[in-house]
Amino acid sequence: MRQFLPVLALAAALFVQSQTTALAIDVVPPGNRNAEQPAIPGASTRRTKAGKTSFDAKYEKVRDLIANDRQLTGKIKSTAAKYGIDPIHMVGAIVGEHTYNVDAYDRLQSYYVKAASYTGNFRFAYDGEAVGDFVARPEFSQCASKKGSYALWICREGVWNKTFKGRTVGGTSYPNNRFSAVFFQPFYAGQTFGLGQINPLTALTLTDDVARISGYDRLDENDAAGVYQAIMDPDISLAYMAAAIRRSIDAYRKIAGVDISKNPGLTATLYNIGNPDARAAAFAARRAEGGATWPEENYYGWLINDKLAELRGLL
């Protein structure tokens, strides 16, 4: 009995610790923190006007695509289940992207047709230097020990921001722009593609998650055509979308101690702006100083929360 008591004490301590940890996670309330929609970026407004359409029309088009395609909603639900997220988060990301980024196609089949057209001999490069050669430079040596594609590419992006962005290094002048925009746009001005509007760098970052959970082949930065084929394919695109949302939820839970899984407007916001780890850390710092209570949605996430009842009805 005496030997059993320490085991009981340890079990009790672990139980209390787990309960304390659980209680330390604050659930973000549903709905928007802003009474009015935050300002929509001018680029989105200009793109929509150039297409001779409106945000309302684009919203209705993507809403109808989801509402009328049971195959698509079935894929959304099954993919969300694999990644342990509510499918409303995926609906929110699709609606946000196709309302403020590009028009939705009328049918899911059109995305498969478009994906099949993405063939060709192209690569991820800047000023003649392939990204695979670029990240082999000594400046990126600190990233060599990183485990997994997520940590590896986050590290590489950090090195870009600190050492190369807007600077001249080794006689080459690098644009004051995002790593993804400089090295991962081989032939189109747009930065995201397909049903999920996935950025190629985002896909490379999440490839280990998607390979592990969905079983799709890992992506390689030296195979740009393969990356584009993956993010243009609706099925694979949905997997990358779910992986990105899962990462955002986990980042805010682990880094900031808040649960955003009940607020689709926040996951949509993070899907739109990216970098969930850095944003979770920044929010945690503001919160510790008393400068913030909850993370806030942007214009994109605000729409999702505002239309939440209608969007849930699509599922």
Side-chain angles (χ1 to χ4, degrees):
M1 184 66 177
R2 261 182 209 170
Q3 292 178 342
F4 190 56
L5 284 175
V7 176
L8 285 176
L10 177 60
L14 290 174
F15 175 78
V16 170
Q17 183 181 27
S18 67
Q19 292 299 102
T20 301
T21 301
L23 290 173
I25 303 297
D26 296 324
V27 179
V28 179
N32 288 316
R33 307 283 78 85
N34 295 291
E36 296 184 357
Q37 185 177 27
I40 299 171
S44 183
T45 301
R46 290 190 295 272
R47 185 165 52 242
T48 299
K49 286 183 177 178
K52 297 181 179 179
T53 183
S54 67
F55 293 129
D56 287 343
K58 290 167 73 176
Y59 168 80
E60 290 168 5
K61 188 174 182 180
V62 67
R63 178 203 62 196
D64 291 347
L65 167 67
I66 299 171
N68 297 328
D69 197 322
R70 292 298 91 187
Q71 181 187 15
L72 175 56
T73 53
K75 289 176 181 291
I76 290 171
K77 289 178 181 179
S78 63
T79 304
K82 287 181 180 179
Y83 289 81
I85 60 175
D86 187 329
I88 190 62
H89 296 295
M90 298 182 67
V91 169
I94 292 171
V95 168
E97 286 297 328
H98 290 82
T99 298
Y100 295 112
N101 193 347
V102 297
D103 255 331
Y105 289 124
D106 293 317
R107 298 180 305 123
L108 179 62
Q109 185 60 33
S110 298
Y111 287 95
Y112 290 103
V113 173
K114 186 69 173 177
S117 71
Y118 269 64
T119 59
N121 183 22
F122 50 91
R123 63 178 185 158
F124 296 133
Y126 173 72
D127 197 28
E129 183 175 18
V131 71
D133 294 331
F134 181 69
V135 297
R137 289 181 173 211
E139 290 89 344
F140 292 92
S141 61
Q142 62 188 280
C143 303
S145 62
K146 300 298 181 182
K147 304 297 183 183
S149 62
Y150 190 82
L152 176 63
W153 284 102
I154 292 296
C155 178
R156 287 172 171 175
E157 189 171 21
V159 172
W160 163 263
N161 289 336
K162 182 179 180 181
T163 307
F164 293 94
K165 181 180 178 182
R167 299 172 182 268
T168 299
V169 181
T172 299
S173 179
Y174 293 95
N176 185 22
N177 204 345
R178 294 183 299 277
F179 190 31
S180 60
V182 175
F183 271 93
F184 296 91
Q185 312 300 318
F187 52 79
Y188 282 122
Q191 296 181 15
T192 55
F193 301 86
L195 178 63
Q197 288 294 289
I198 306 292
N199 182 296
L201 178 56
T202 299
L204 288 166
T205 301
L206 297 169
T207 190
D208 280 357
D209 291 352
V210 171
R212 174 173 50 85
I213 297 172
S214 294
Y216 292 117
D217 291 341
R218 293 185 74 260
L219 303 178
D220 186 330
E221 67 270 22
N222 296 307
D223 180 16
V227 174
Y228 274 104
Q229 287 264 329
I231 61 181
M232 288 297 294
D233 182 291
D235 297 338
I236 307 177
S237 183
L238 286 172
Y240 276 95
M241 177 180 294
I245 294 167
R246 178 76 261 171
R247 280 284 181 176
S248 292
I249 292 171
D250 290 346
Y252 271 73
R253 174 178 283 272
K254 294 174 183 177
I255 298 171
V258 295
D259 180 2
I260 64 173
S261 68
K262 310 301 181 186
N263 194 305
L266 287 177
T267 56
T269 295
L270 291 165
Y271 191 83
N272 175 232
I273 60 179
N275 298 315
D277 290 54
R279 295 183 191 282
F283 166 73
R286 292 195 305 273
R287 198 181 195 208
E289 296 172 354
T293 303
W294 302 114
E296 295 185 7
E297 70 289 340
N298 69 351
Y299 69 97
Y300 178 120
W302 190 96
L303 174 76
I304 304 310
N305 278 339
D306 189 57
K307 301 285 190 180
L308 191 57
E310 182 177 28
L311 297 179
R312 280 201 178 276
L314 302 178
L315 295 168

Short mmCIF file of all heavy atoms in Angstrom, two decimals, residues 6-22:
data_model
loop_
_atom_site.label_atom_id
_atom_site.label_comp_id
_atom_site.label_asym_id
_atom_site.label_seq_id
_atom_site.Cartn_x
_atom_site.Cartn_y
_atom_site.Cartn_z
N PRO A 6 2.59 6.81 -3.39
CA PRO A 6 3.28 7.78 -4.25
C PRO A 6 2.75 7.79 -5.68
O PRO A 6 2.70 8.83 -6.33
CB PRO A 6 4.74 7.32 -4.22
CG PRO A 6 4.87 6.57 -2.95
CD PRO A 6 3.56 5.88 -2.76
N VAL A 7 2.36 6.61 -6.16
CA VAL A 7 1.79 6.54 -7.50
C VAL A 7 0.49 7.32 -7.57
O VAL A 7 0.22 8.08 -8.51
CB VAL A 7 1.55 5.06 -7.91
CG1 VAL A 7 0.87 5.00 -9.27
CG2 VAL A 7 2.87 4.31 -7.94
N LEU A 8 -0.34 7.15 -6.52
CA LEU A 8 -1.60 7.91 -6.47
C LEU A 8 -1.34 9.41 -6.40
O LEU A 8 -2.02 10.21 -7.04
CB LEU A 8 -2.42 7.47 -5.25
CG LEU A 8 -3.12 6.11 -5.35
CD1 LEU A 8 -3.80 5.78 -4.03
CD2 LEU A 8 -4.14 6.12 -6.48
N ALA A 9 -0.33 9.78 -5.58
CA ALA A 9 -0.01 11.21 -5.44
C ALA A 9 0.44 11.80 -6.76
O ALA A 9 0.06 12.91 -7.14
CB ALA A 9 1.08 11.39 -4.38
N LEU A 10 1.30 11.02 -7.47
CA LEU A 10 1.77 11.50 -8.77
C LEU A 10 0.62 11.65 -9.75
O LEU A 10 0.52 12.64 -10.47
CB LEU A 10 2.81 10.52 -9.32
CG LEU A 10 3.36 10.83 -10.72
CD1 LEU A 10 4.04 12.20 -10.74
CD2 LEU A 10 4.33 9.75 -11.18
N ALA A 11 -0.26 10.65 -9.76
CA ALA A 11 -1.41 10.71 -10.66
C ALA A 11 -2.29 11.91 -10.34
O ALA A 11 -2.77 12.60 -11.24
CB ALA A 11 -2.22 9.42 -10.55
N ALA A 12 -2.48 12.16 -9.04
CA ALA A 12 -3.31 13.30 -8.63
C ALA A 12 -2.66 14.62 -9.06
O ALA A 12 -3.33 15.54 -9.53
CB ALA A 12 -3.51 13.29 -7.12
N ALA A 13 -1.33 14.70 -8.91
CA ALA A 13 -0.62 15.92 -9.29
C ALA A 13 -0.73 16.17 -10.79
O ALA A 13 -0.95 17.29 -11.24
CB ALA A 13 0.85 15.82 -8.89
N LEU A 14 -0.56 15.09 -11.57
CA LEU A 14 -0.67 15.22 -13.02
C LEU A 14 -2.07 15.62 -13.42
O LEU A 14 -2.27 16.42 -14.35
CB LEU A 14 -0.29 13.90 -13.70
CG LEU A 14 1.20 13.54 -13.61
CD1 LEU A 14 1.43 12.14 -14.18
CD2 LEU A 14 2.05 14.56 -14.35
N PHE A 15 -3.08 15.10 -12.70
CA PHE A 15 -4.46 15.46 -13.00
C PHE A 15 -4.71 16.94 -12.72
O PHE A 15 -5.29 17.65 -13.54
CB PHE A 15 -5.43 14.61 -12.17
CG PHE A 15 -6.87 15.00 -12.34
CD1 PHE A 15 -7.56 14.61 -13.47
CD2 PHE A 15 -7.52 15.77 -11.38
CE1 PHE A 15 -8.89 14.97 -13.65
CE2 PHE A 15 -8.84 16.14 -11.56
CZ PHE A 15 -9.53 15.72 -12.69
N VAL A 16 -4.22 17.41 -11.58
CA VAL A 16 -4.40 18.83 -11.23
C VAL A 16 -3.69 19.71 -12.25
O VAL A 16 -4.21 20.73 -12.69
CB VAL A 16 -3.85 19.10 -9.81
CG1 VAL A 16 -3.80 20.60 -9.54
CG2 VAL A 16 -4.73 18.40 -8.78
N GLN A 17 -2.45 19.27 -12.63
CA GLN A 17 -1.70 20.06 -13.62
C GLN A 17 -2.45 20.14 -14.94
O GLN A 17 -2.52 21.20 -15.56
CB GLN A 17 -0.33 19.42 -13.84
CG GLN A 17 0.56 20.23 -14.80
CD GLN A 17 1.90 19.57 -15.03
OE1 GLN A 17 2.02 18.36 -14.91
NE2 GLN A 17 2.89 20.35 -15.34
N SER A 18 -3.01 19.00 -15.38
CA SER A 18 -3.74 19.00 -16.65
C SER A 18 -4.98 19.85 -16.57
O SER A 18 -5.33 20.56 -17.51
CB SER A 18 -4.11 17.56 -17.04
OG SER A 18 -5.05 17.02 -16.13
N GLN A 19 -5.66 19.82 -15.42
CA GLN A 19 -6.85 20.64 -15.25
C GLN A 19 -6.51 22.12 -15.25
O GLN A 19 -7.20 22.95 -15.82
CB GLN A 19 -7.58 20.28 -13.95
CG GLN A 19 -8.19 18.89 -13.95
CD GLN A 19 -9.23 18.75 -15.05
OE1 GLN A 19 -8.95 18.17 -16.09
NE2 GLN A 19 -10.39 19.28 -14.85
N THR A 20 -5.39 22.45 -14.59
CA THR A 20 -4.94 23.85 -14.54
C THR A 20 -4.60 24.34 -15.94
O THR A 20 -4.95 25.45 -16.34
CB THR A 20 -3.70 23.98 -13.63
OG1 THR A 20 -4.05 23.52 -12.33
CG2 THR A 20 -3.25 25.44 -13.55
N THR A 21 -3.89 23.47 -16.69
CA THR A 21 -3.54 23.84 -18.07
C THR A 21 -4.78 24.07 -18.90
O THR A 21 -4.88 25.02 -19.68
CB THR A 21 -2.67 22.74 -18.70
OG1 THR A 21 -1.49 22.57 -17.91
CG2 THR A 21 -2.28 23.11 -20.12
N ALA A 22 -5.78 23.18 -18.73
CA ALA A 22 -7.01 23.31 -19.49
C ALA A 22 -7.73 24.60 -19.15
O ALA A 22 -8.25 25.29 -20.01
CB ALA A 22 -7.91 22.10 -19.22
#
